[in-house]
Amino acid sequence: MKRILTYGTFDLLHRGHINLLKRAKDLGDYLIVAISTDEFNRIKKKKAYYSFDDRRLILEAIRYVDEVIPEKNWEQKILDIKKYSIDVFVMGDDWKGKFDYLNSYCDIVYLPRTEGVSTTKIKKELFRTNEFIE
Ligand code: C2G
């Protein structure tokens, strides 16, 4: 059984996230997603709208996702790869090269990001439309 691992905040879930998760799952048989905790998002300087528990509930409901674990720090990836016997580490290519140091532990795959959608873009558009609600 080929085991896949990916990391992310996955806030305000959108088609870019789903495309990533689908393609990651297509690379193997079992997909583990490490979701950034609220505390780690503060370190990443990312403010998630949904709490870790909400994001975990949402990710666990996705057909491509087999298991969700917490991402608490930048340093846990090697331990996770060993602990979960990971064959392939997957990230969107906005991270291209950043995790090549893991290639002595498993295969590394960077998948093209889905253009035209992002959580930041969603938040900006919501904020802008809100301005015009009477
Ligand atoms: N993604 C994508 N296309 C988009 C937006 C996101 O393919 N339009 C991918 C990202 O490349 C990432 C995953 O979806 O692989 C999750 O995106 P984020 O939640 O923004 O993840 P990030 O905050 O970059 O966290 O240790 C790694 C970090 O936790 C990654």
Side-chain angles (χ1 to χ4, degrees):
M1 178 160 87
K2 206 167 179 187
R3 299 166 63 85
I4 317 293
L5 175 61
T6 190
Y7 291 75
T9 298
F10 293 99
D11 189 37
L12 299 187
L13 201 70
H14 54 66
R15 60 188 169 87
H17 296 137
I18 298 299
N19 283 342
L20 186 284
L21 295 170
K22 182 183 184 321
R23 286 174 294 164
K25 181 60 177 284
D26 288 345
L27 292 172
D29 309 289
Y30 191 85
L31 173 61
I32 300 176
V33 182
I35 302 184
S36 310
T37 60
D38 298 330
E39 297 74 20
F40 183 48
N41 271 329
R42 274 193 279 283
I43 295 170
K44 287 167 64 176
K45 300 205 179 345
K46 238 183 172 177
K47 178 83 183 78
Y49 176 79
Y50 286 123
S51 68
F52 171 78
D53 289 341
D54 283 0
R55 286 179 286 120
R56 175 183 211 137
L57 186 73
I58 292 164
L59 267 283
E60 284 175 344
I62 297 171
R63 72 173 73 172
Y64 308 120
V65 178
D66 296 290
E67 186 174 350
V68 174
I69 61 173
E71 179 188 29
K72 299 178 179 174
N73 56 63
W74 291 112
E75 297 77 28
Q76 68 183 73
K77 293 183 175 67
I78 293 173
L79 282 176
D80 289 344
I81 288 166
K82 290 178 179 172
K83 178 177 176 184
Y84 296 97
S85 309
I86 297 301
D87 300 292
V88 187
F89 171 90
V90 177
M91 287 302 293
D93 63 4
D94 46 318
W95 291 92
K96 192 164 181 59
K98 298 288 192 309
F99 300 113
D100 290 357
Y101 70 92
L102 297 172
N103 61 17
S104 44
Y105 302 94
C106 65
D107 295 343
I108 311 295
V109 173
Y110 298 105
L111 297 170
R113 269 177 75 91
T114 301
E115 293 309 319
V117 63
S118 71
T119 302
T120 307
K121 188 167 183 280
I122 292 167
K123 287 178 178 176
K124 282 181 181 164
E125 284 174 10
L126 282 175
F127 178 76
R128 197 169 49 247
T129 47
N130 254 336
E131 282 174 342
F132 301 107
I133 290 177
E134 297 305 315

